[in-house]
Amino acid sequence: MSHRDERRDVIVVGVGGMGSATAYHLASRGVDVLGLERFDIPHTQGSSHGITRIIRRAYYEHPSYIPLIERAYDLWDELAEETGREVIHRTGSIDAGPQGNVVFEGSRRSCEEHDIPHEVLTGAELNERFPGYNLPDDYRALYQEDGGFVVPEQSIVGHTEAAQAAGAEIRAREGVHDWAPTPDGGVRVWTGTDTYEADRLVLAAGAWNYKLADALDGLAVPERQVLAWFQPDTPELFEPDSLPVWNIAVPEGRFYGLPIYDVPGFKLGKYHHLGEAVNPDSYDTEPNDADEVLLRDFTEKYFPKAAGPTMRLATCMFTNSPDEHFILDQLPEHPQVVVGAGFSGHGFKFATVIGEILADLAADGETDHPIDMFSLDRFE
């Protein structure tokens, strides 16, 4: 048993974007929940930081995400209202690329299938409407007015405080070393300072999840990612009311970016930056010249008015599944253990609804949300 308290209903490992939302949804239902975070709350060691994160209704990755993003939007608005924190900002979103490219075509398909209002623009029309962009004239862009960004650090603080207000116990700087099933179908969890028991366990430890569940080894692979903030020559073109968030496919790869917010600079990154799979405990967290050159070369070509002095560089991690779709499931051999993993660089916008889903699975063993495509058995 715990050295401090009685057995809990649920222990949540990781109190980042997904874990804090899970703890909140569990606690708000009256579930006795303990959240354990190895770092600070919030922190900059994993995947749930970076000032701003894109949210968009148009979803080129797969139309099946649309019901989840619709619910996520509702929950972001509810979190903002409940906490008084501005966790979501609507700027509009752009998904663009050469005609026929999946970024544009997939976004258009998702909007058409789900009756999401949108506009289709040529590259020339996009550049004229939003002069910060400099795409080839014959590119195609989908504009959707509800896109924008969420604020990860504020979101984590908001979910954590709301969870605590509902009765959750949250402990930072207490990393989980191991866990094991108990004979009665629960779990025992060991940290660096204590031992706890619970009926259910949620693994929401981001890049560290695979170290806590053998079933995720090779299915939730951490990857080093680098972000840049460059100071625009004409900052007024890159403010939230002038620049929609964007995903763009170009010959150099797939890039994404956001307007200036809270810190100096126009923010951007490249999906799967340099393709570096890493150990989250021992990778190079310091950005280097090659990282900066890659992002600056893109900016000079496609956003030349933003390619001023470097304001900031930062690393984070993607945790990729083989098909780049999420993993939301119970462990086959231990159904009392729920996992949220493999968010593959596009998960944070869903944090609110993923927290609801993981809470459903932990509390009820099932959810009404459509998550069949996110099951572990698809990899068998």
Side-chain angles (χ1 to χ4, degrees):
M1 290 293 292
S2 166
H3 295 165
R4 288 179 178 157
D5 296 298
E6 71 283 356
R7 178 164 165 152
R8 273 75 170 185
D9 295 330
V10 181
I11 293 173
V12 177
V13 180
V15 188
M18 311 309 180
S20 64
T22 303
Y24 163 69
H25 283 289
L26 287 166
S28 67
R29 302 176 193 184
V31 175
D32 181 13
V33 57
L34 169 66
L36 297 171
E37 170 56 56
R38 66 182 293 171
F39 301 113
D40 295 330
I41 301 173
H43 64 82
T44 61
Q45 306 303 307
S47 303
S48 295
H49 59 281
I51 314 299
T52 53
R53 292 297 181 86
I54 289 174
I55 187 169
R56 50 193 164 88
R57 290 191 192 275
Y59 223 72
Y60 61 83
E61 288 84 348
H62 198 283
S64 297
Y65 284 96
I66 300 297
L68 298 184
I69 199 62
E70 296 290 345
R71 177 60 175 160
Y73 267 96
D74 290 342
L75 291 171
W76 284 118
D77 288 334
E78 290 178 16
L79 180 65
E81 183 176 355
E82 180 174 350
T83 64
R85 295 179 179 274
E86 291 188 274
V87 294
I88 181 168
H89 300 257
R90 289 168 171 81
T91 65
S93 64
I94 293 293
D95 295 303
Q99 202 163 359
N101 181 271
V102 67
V103 172
F104 168 72
E105 298 293 351
S107 294
R108 181 167 64 175
R109 181 180 64 155
S110 70
C111 288
E112 291 173 347
E113 288 186 9
H114 293 273
D115 296 321
I116 298 171
H118 64 282
E119 291 182 68
V120 172
L121 307 172
T122 65
E125 291 168 337
L126 175 69
N127 299 339
E128 182 177 2
R129 185 182 299 189
F130 304 109
Y133 294 84
N134 184 45
L135 294 191
D137 289 351
D138 60 348
Y139 272 37
R140 293 293 181 270
L142 184 137
Y143 172 73
Q144 207 288 313
E145 64 182 2
D146 296 319
F149 58 88
V150 293
V151 186
E153 289 86 354
Q154 288 295 308
S155 304
I156 293 167
V157 173
H159 274 134
T160 298
E161 290 180 343
Q164 291 170 322
E169 180 181 2
I170 306 294
R171 294 181 176 273
R173 292 182 171 264
E174 188 165 354
V176 170
H177 292 178
D178 204 358
W179 65 272
T182 58
D184 61 357
V187 291
R188 182 175 293 114
V189 172
W190 290 272
T191 73
T193 57
D194 218 326
T195 305
Y196 305 93
E197 283 192 10
D199 297 333
R200 300 288 185 268
L201 178 66
V202 177
L203 298 180
W208 289 266
N209 260 342
Y210 79 98
K211 297 192 174 191
L212 296 170
D214 289 344
L216 296 177
D217 191 18
L219 301 181
V221 179
E223 179 185 27
R224 180 178 179 270
Q225 187 72 9
V226 177
L227 302 165
W229 286 256
F230 297 133
Q231 180 61 26
D233 298 328
T234 50
E236 64 272 13
L237 299 181
F238 298 91
E239 299 288 345
D241 59 354
S242 303
L243 188 87
V245 301
W246 51 271
N247 285 273
I248 296 174
V250 293
E252 296 86 351
R254 244 188 334 135
F255 291 76
Y256 58 96
L258 306 98
I260 300 167
Y261 177 80
D262 200 43
V263 298
F266 161 75
K267 176 185 174 183
L268 76 151
K270 180 187 178 187
Y271 285 102
H272 309 303
H273 184 66
L274 292 174
E276 301 169 279
V278 296
N279 180 332
D281 291 315
S282 59
Y283 79 103
D284 184 3
T285 60
E286 183 62 28
N288 57 49
D289 291 344
D291 298 320
E292 182 175 359
V293 166
L294 184 156
L295 298 173
R296 179 169 291 281
D297 285 350
F298 168 87
T299 306
E300 289 175 346
K301 185 172 182 179
Y302 298 103
F303 293 88
K305 296 174 184 176
T310 301
M311 295 289 100
R312 176 185 176 126
L313 297 171
T315 60
C316 68
M317 284 180 283
F318 285 0
T319 304
N320 301 314
S321 72
D323 59 10
E324 297 191 8
H325 295 309
F326 305 161
I327 299 171
L328 303 171
D329 208 345
Q330 297 160 286
L331 292 182
E333 297 183 4
H334 303 292
Q336 72 271 44
V337 181
V338 175
V339 297
F343 296 109
S344 304
H346 64 114
F348 197 93
K349 64 181 72 66
F350 295 92
T352 49
V353 69
I354 287 169
E356 188 171 61
I357 291 166
L358 296 179
D360 289 344
L361 295 176
D364 305 322
E366 60 183 5
T367 182
D368 291 333
H369 288 294
I371 63 168
D372 288 348
M373 70 177 286
F374 305 126
S375 65
L376 272 166
D377 62 14
R378 74 186 191 267
F379 300 115
E380 292 178 358

